[in-house]
Structures are given as C-alpha cells and as structure tokens.
Amino acid sequence: MRCQICGYEEAERRCPRCGRWACRHDWAGEHCAACEATLCRICRRNFSIATCIVCGRAVCEKCSVRRGLGRVCINCLGTSN
C-alpha cells in the first residue's frame, strides 16, 4: 500500500487519529504529518478550528475564545482588546 499523504513511498504505519496510512517520511512521532499540521499549537492534543487573530497560531476550541468573527488564543487573551 502506498502512503496516503505523499502517494509515492510504501506505507509503514496507520495514523491512530485519522486512519491514513503513512510512509516513514510522513510520520510525525505519534501520528501522520497531516494530523501534525492541523493540531492546536497550544495544547497539541486537539485539531485546530481556527487561527488566532493576534498571533496567527492554529488553535482548538478549548484553547481559544471567540472575539467577533475570529478567535484569540488563551496566550494572547491578555494582550488583545
């Protein structure tokens, strides 16, 4: 089976988060590179749903607060208006 991320290399592992088969180049420790790219940059456990309107980090619902049409991460809450 080919890697479902790159499409070229032989897949070696199945991601426990999304179920994709990934090659050694597209494996990021505990999950595939696609999941790694979409994880919240604050908690690193949940998938992100938005980017912080202050710092631009990908954030999940638990690590951010809605401000108008955007979201602010918990690290930037004290610095935003």
Side-chain angles (χ1 to χ4, degrees):
M1 173 179 279
R2 298 269 178 224
C3 173
Q4 293 177 310
I5 298 172
C6 73
Y8 297 107
E9 298 284 328
E10 190 69 26
E12 296 177 359
R13 297 179 179 170
R14 188 174 185 132
C15 180
R17 288 184 175 271
C18 68
R20 286 183 187 96
W21 284 94
C23 66
R24 62 189 168 104
H25 302 291
D26 288 315
W27 193 254
E30 298 179 14
H31 42 259
C32 72
C35 286
E36 174 64 25
T38 58
L39 283 179
C40 173
R41 296 298 177 234
I42 306 293
C43 69
R44 309 288 296 166
R45 289 186 306 269
N46 303 315
F47 288 117
S48 61
I49 60 165
T51 56
C52 174
I53 59 175
V54 177
C55 68
R57 280 184 271 203
V59 292
C60 69
E61 188 172 10
K62 290 183 178 185
C63 295
S64 62
V65 174
R66 189 174 180 145
R67 290 288 188 254
L69 296 177
R71 296 192 80 80
V72 177
C73 75
I74 57 175
N75 292 345
C76 292
L77 268 177
T79 62
S80 65
N81 294 332

